[in-house]
Amino acid sequence: MSLEMSEELKNIVEELKNRGYRMTPQRVLLTKMILETVEKHPTLKELHEESQGVLPGTGVSTVYNTIMMLESLGVIRVFYLDGKLYIDRARPHVNIVCKEPVAIKDLDSGALEEIKGVLEKRNIKLENMLVIIMGNCKNKGS
Ligand SMILES: [Zn+2]
């Protein structure tokens, strides 16, 4: 993994420094790795395994702490399923969890608009959400 930093990564590192975090090269690399894989909804275990290729010997607690740091910043969300910690983008969206084969996907944004509509009818403005729907995805499509 290269040390090249995207605009998003630069901004996050800057924000974390402002909040008093010591941004060691290890933390920067882990942050980069997390941002690059978050769309796939990786687990803590998967991120820890991936980190070994970039930073051999990185402990699982270091990966966990980096995840928590990014969650406190509002960059990512975490959720637990079957005792596993998953990470996800913080933007409002609906996750579909398929049991067989196991996969987590984001539902299209049309679903989000429909949910907003349902809430608006009840005078509720959506501010944030973490929706996880367990689905049987054996049929075609999702
Ligand atoms: Zn998601």
Side-chain angles (χ1 to χ4, degrees), residues 41 88-89 93-95 104-106:
H41 306 90
D88 198 0
R89 279 281 182 194
H93 67 276
V94 179
N95 290 292
I104 305 177
K105 301 175 208 167
D106 291 347

Side-chain angles (χ1 to χ4, degrees), residues 71-88:
E71 198 201 23
S72 75
L73 198 64
V75 175
I76 60 169
R77 306 278 301 259
V78 303
F79 61 88
Y80 292 86
L81 274 179
D82 298 330
K84 289 181 196 159
L85 186 155
Y86 288 83
I87 67 162
D88 198 0

Side-chain angles (χ1 to χ4, degrees), residues 44-60:
L44 169 61
K45 187 167 180 275
E46 286 166 349
L47 287 168
H48 179 240
E49 283 165 6
E50 175 128 5
S51 75
Q52 300 310 299
V54 189
L55 294 158
T58 299
V60 71

